[in-house]
Amino acid sequence: MKNHACFYLLLFSLMVSGCNSDKPVKNPDNTLTKRERAEGWRLLFDGSSPAGWINAKTGSFPVSGWDVRDGVLEVNPESKKPGEGGDIVSTGKFRNFELSVDFMYTTGANSGIKYFIDTEAENGSLASIGCEYQVLDDMNHPDAKAGIAGNRTLAGLYDLIAPTNKQDNGPDKWNRAKIIVNGSKVQHWLNGLLTVEYERSTPAWRELVATSKFKPVKGFGETVEGRILLQDHGNKVSFKNIKIKEY
């Protein structure tokens, strides 16, 4: 009987162990899995410092207006002093890439994730101009009803292409943005769903730009490589798990 009892106890332990091993293990924020490292992903935010990010115009990280705390990079208008804050850009430039960013907006907030930013163009006058993955509280911000047919709403290409197939988790909840650039072809994703797909540097692209607020910007959206920008639009918005894979 003793041997049988030991056998059943061992079998039960193995079954419990097997069940536990099937539970998904959440990777800590602002870290990479072994698979991601093998695939070439790298972090653009380490979770504890603003390293790798600078103000789009001054070239240094803002003294106030942006906070790094609890593993989050956050626009904080309450902490902003006159002349501080502002859009921040990556110190690195990127050409073909997959960018993944977790973001959380507060009620009524407006922000954006921009790419192909050329901070040196036109003596720095275009330091915050680029293609924008819109971050917006569609239900509570007036911009959602501006523009043309929803082209200023969450996960769209700001003022150019309205998103489709969108699943928004809402204010004060984390969402995941993904931007994929392969040559002239670009995709926007939100929470695993494709929302926007377009091709730059084509006659159709230039016609689209000509109907937008970016019409005066020569060659808008056709920069070969550029920086990533996180927008300070005066509202509290948080970012984490910012990572990129270049092709």
Side-chain angles (χ1 to χ4, degrees), residues 20 45 72 91:
N20 289 337
F45 172 55
V72 171
T91 53

Side-chain angles (χ1 to χ4, degrees), residues 226-241:
R227 305 178 194 272
I228 307 299
L229 180 148
L230 302 179
Q231 187 181 44
D232 173 5
H233 207 283
N235 306 124
K236 187 174 181 179
V237 179
S238 304
F239 304 92
K240 67 178 182 178
N241 296 325

Side-chain angles (χ1 to χ4, degrees), residues 129-140:
I129 302 298
C131 297
E132 178 179 351
Y133 181 112
Q134 175 76 80
V135 173
L136 192 80
D137 180 358
D138 291 345
M139 299 299 293
N140 297 290

Side-chain angles (χ1 to χ4, degrees), residues 44-244:
L44 293 185
F45 172 55
D46 63 15
S48 59
S49 77
W53 293 94
I54 55 176
N55 179 280
K57 294 183 178 180
T58 68
S60 59
F61 193 79
V63 175
S64 67
W66 283 86
D67 292 339
V68 177
R69 56 185 173 190
D70 300 325
V72 171
L73 179 59
E74 179 179 88
V75 184
N76 187 355
E78 294 180 359
S79 74
K80 185 187 294 188
K81 298 178 181 178
E84 287 293 334
D87 300 336
I88 59 173
V89 295
S90 61
T91 53
K93 299 179 181 181
F94 307 97
R95 184 180 297 239
N96 295 309
F97 59 86
E98 181 174 342
L99 173 71
S100 181
V101 181
D102 289 352
F103 67 91
M104 180 168 61
Y105 61 82
T106 51
T107 299
N110 185 349
S111 183
I113 304 166
K114 299 184 184 183
Y115 46 104
F116 301 131
I117 300 295
D118 185 349
T119 53
E120 292 82 26
E122 303 293 335
N123 295 317
S125 64
L126 303 180
S128 291
I129 302 298
C131 297
E132 178 179 351
Y133 181 112
Q134 175 76 80
V135 173
L136 192 80
D137 180 358
D138 291 345
M139 299 299 293
N140 297 290
H141 195 285
D143 236 26
K145 296 180 181 179
I148 300 173
N151 66 1
R152 293 187 181 181
T153 58
L154 177 66
L157 178 62
Y158 175 73
D159 208 52
L160 292 161
I161 303 175
T164 59
N165 199 35
K166 183 165 65 179
Q167 182 176 311
D168 175 19
N169 291 332
D172 302 313
K173 302 286 180 63
W174 287 105
N175 287 277
R176 176 160 295 174
K178 185 180 290 185
I179 301 167
I180 301 176
V181 177
N182 186 4
S184 62
K185 297 181 179 180
V186 183
Q187 294 179 338
H188 287 188
W189 294 73
L190 175 65
N191 297 324
L193 298 175
L194 178 64
T195 60
V196 166
E197 191 167 23
Y198 68 97
E199 187 169 358
R200 306 181 297 141
S201 306
T202 64
W205 169 256
R206 291 165 189 151
E207 287 179 13
L208 183 63
V209 172
T211 65
S212 75
K213 65 185 295 183
F214 303 111
K215 181 180 179 179
V217 182
K218 184 179 179 180
F220 175 80
E222 299 188 36
T223 304
V224 176
E225 68 174 9
R227 305 178 194 272
I228 307 299
L229 180 148
L230 302 179
Q231 187 181 44
D232 173 5
H233 207 283
N235 306 124
K236 187 174 181 179
V237 179
S238 304
F239 304 92
K240 67 178 182 178
N241 296 325
I242 309 171
K243 52 191 173 184
I244 198 164

